[in-house]
Amino acid sequence: MPDHEDQIMPSLERLARLARAGEHGDGLNPAQWEALRYLSRANRFSNSPGALTRYLGATKGTISQTVMALERKGYVTKTGRFGEGRSVALLLTPKGSEALASNAWTRLAAAAENLGAKTRRRLAKALRELLATELSHGNHLSFGQCWTCRFFRENNKGKGPHQCMYFNEALSEAETHLICIAHQEG
């Protein structure tokens, strides 16, 4: 009888394939869906075309085409960053946020919520470990959540909002759950 462990990678691969297959609707391709999902989770320091390029491991040209298509279709907007010259921030439009609500990955996330709490914790831990191993092999950035970063300071020593010591900026509670290009495990 085969080990249950023999089903981990085939199951992950099949889940990813099924979710990817569901991304060929609503006039968007998988790269465009990936960009929308990333932007929905990226903090204000990480919602740039350059950060999106690093996260997806794509070329600048591919990301440029993806962003232009999403902008043309009304899913994202480009805005300048205050005081940063030519730096651009990518923001989801209401149409972009609405599209994500019916995405194949959103359905998969909802199914994961139906797992028992202990199973979800174990699965999350195992997937974080697998991801960390893979990231280290390719010298990739982690793009983790702020609250798990070594630069994160909770409640700024009791003086108010949380603090990002890397960017020397205050963080709201909601921002602490977003992903960041400067993330380093704490």
Side-chain angles (χ1 to χ4, degrees):
M1 187 138 143
D3 290 335
H4 294 290
E5 290 81 17
D6 291 345
Q7 290 302 305
I8 293 171
M9 293 317 295
S11 294
L12 278 176
E13 182 181 18
R14 183 73 174 138
L15 282 170
R17 173 59 42 214
L18 289 170
R20 284 284 219 180
E23 291 183 318
H24 289 281
D26 298 328
L28 297 173
N29 65 40
Q32 292 165 350
W33 280 113
E34 282 182 306
L36 289 178
R37 281 192 305 276
Y38 170 78
L39 291 172
S40 74
R41 295 188 307 256
N43 68 15
R44 61 189 149 119
F45 311 113
S46 308
N47 61 352
S48 68
L52 178 60
T53 300
R54 298 285 302 269
Y55 185 81
L56 296 181
T59 65
K60 289 179 183 180
T62 298
I63 295 303
S64 178
Q65 293 298 314
T66 298
V67 169
M68 285 191 313
L70 289 171
E71 193 175 21
R72 187 176 58 252
K73 294 174 183 182
Y75 291 97
V76 300
T77 60
K78 286 183 188 175
T79 63
R81 291 184 191 274
F82 180 74
E84 292 189 33
R86 298 185 325 169
S87 184
V88 171
L90 302 172
L91 304 173
L92 287 180
T93 64
K95 181 179 179 180
S97 296
E98 187 178 303
L100 286 171
S102 63
N103 180 259
W105 289 92
T106 303
R107 289 191 308 274
L108 185 58
E113 286 300 314
N114 290 327
L115 298 171
K118 189 174 185 178
T119 301
R120 281 196 318 273
R121 282 192 304 276
R122 286 181 175 170
L123 178 59
K125 182 178 188 264
L127 290 173
R128 280 192 309 272
E129 289 173 7
L130 285 172
L131 179 59
T133 299
E134 190 60 25
L135 289 171
S136 69
H137 286 299
N139 197 28
H140 301 285
L141 300 174
S142 68
F143 282 92
Q145 293 176 317
C146 291
W147 69 272
T148 67
C149 182
R150 73 183 194 96
F151 299 114
F152 175 73
R153 297 298 178 268
E154 188 171 19
N155 293 325
N156 195 20
K157 299 178 185 170
K159 296 179 186 173
H162 306 298
Q163 183 80 14
C164 172
M165 302 308 287
Y166 185 87
F167 290 107
N168 195 28
E169 292 278 342
L171 299 171
S172 70
E173 182 64 31
E175 286 180 299
T176 67
H177 298 283
L178 298 175
I179 59 175
C180 183
I181 192 170
H183 181 269
Q184 292 181 22
E185 286 297 325

